[in-house]
Amino acid sequence: MKTVGNDLIRSQLHQNRKWYIGLGVLLTIFGIVLLASLPFATLSAIFIFGILMMIGGILHLLAAFKIFEGGFRWLWALFGVLYLIAGYYAFSTPVKTAIVLTNVLAIILIVAGVIRIFNAILFRGLPGWGWTLFSGLLTLVAGVMILKSPDAPFWVLGLFLAMDILFQGINYLSFASYIKHEIPKSSAD
C-alpha cells in the first residue's frame, strides 16, 4: 500500500516538474533584473513592506472588532492604526522609509554579530566555535558597513530582495533537476 502512495507522489512530482522549471526561470530572471537595478529593487521592497503593513493594519482592525472584547479590542485597534500609518508612511515617503529600514537592518546585524561572537567565546572549547566566531565577525562588519555607508539605503534592501528572489529561482531549478535525475517515475522504474 505504501508503494502506491509513493508512486502517486513520484508521478505528481514529475508532472509538476515543468512548473518548477518555469517558476525557477522566471524568478532567476527577476532576481538578475533586480540585481541590475538595485534602487528599483529597494523601491519595490519598500512598496511590498507598505502593502504588508496596510494588510496587517486591516487584519488587526478586523480582529479588534470581530474577535476581541473589552480592553484587548482597543489594543488591537491601536495596533491596526499603527500598522496603517506605517504602511502609509512607506508609500508617501519611500526614501525615508528605506533609510529607516536600512538602519534597523544594520543595527540588527550588529547585535546579531555581537551575540554570535559572544557565543563563540563562551563555547570556544566545542568543535566549530571558530566558524561561529567568523560568522559573528562578518555579520558585525556587514552591519557596521551598512550603517556607515551613506548610500546604503538605496541598494541594501534591494540587494536582499534580489538575492532572495534569485536564490529561490535557483532552488526551484535545482529541485526540478533533482526530480529528473534522482526520483524514478514509479517503483517499477
Side-chain angles (χ1 to χ4, degrees):
M1 187 70 176
K2 189 173 183 176
T3 306
V4 173
N6 288 341
D7 285 345
L8 180 62
I9 292 170
R10 289 178 184 143
S11 174
Q12 287 175 339
L13 283 172
H14 281 279
Q15 288 174 359
N16 292 333
R17 187 174 161 273
K18 65 181 173 262
W19 290 104
Y20 297 128
I21 292 171
L23 190 56
V25 168
L26 280 175
L27 288 173
T28 302
I29 291 170
F30 289 158
I32 291 169
V33 167
L34 290 173
L35 277 174
S37 58
L38 289 178
F40 174 73
T42 296
L43 188 61
S44 298
I46 296 303
F47 287 144
I48 290 170
F49 172 78
I51 290 168
L52 293 176
M53 291 303 286
M54 288 188 162
I55 291 171
I58 292 168
L59 292 176
H60 273 82
L61 288 172
L62 287 173
F65 295 107
K66 293 288 185 183
I67 298 172
F68 296 102
E69 296 177 6
F72 287 115
R73 168 178 286 171
W74 299 111
L75 184 62
W76 279 82
L78 175 64
F79 284 136
V81 169
L82 292 175
Y83 273 56
L84 288 170
I85 291 170
Y88 174 77
Y89 183 79
F91 281 108
S92 62
T93 58
V95 173
K96 287 182 183 178
T97 303
I99 292 168
V100 169
L101 290 178
T102 301
N103 287 338
V104 168
L105 174 66
I107 291 167
I108 289 171
L109 289 173
I110 290 168
V111 170
V114 169
I115 290 171
R116 286 182 188 160
I117 291 168
F118 183 72
N119 280 339
I121 292 168
L122 281 177
F123 299 109
R124 67 180 168 268
L126 297 175
W129 77 272
W131 287 109
T132 304
L133 178 65
F134 181 67
S135 169
L137 289 170
L138 280 179
T139 304
L140 175 67
V141 168
V144 169
M145 287 176 56
I146 290 170
L147 204 54
K148 295 242 178 214
S149 175
D151 65 341
F154 302 105
W155 61 268
V156 168
L157 298 174
L159 179 65
F160 276 72
L161 178 66
M163 294 302 290
D164 179 59
I165 290 173
L166 176 66
F167 284 119
Q168 286 299 317
I170 292 169
N171 183 42
Y172 277 114
L173 291 173
S174 299
F175 187 55
S177 176
Y178 178 80
I179 290 170
K180 179 179 181 182
H181 298 293
E182 301 294 330
I183 298 178
K185 289 186 180 182
S186 69
S187 61
D189 292 345

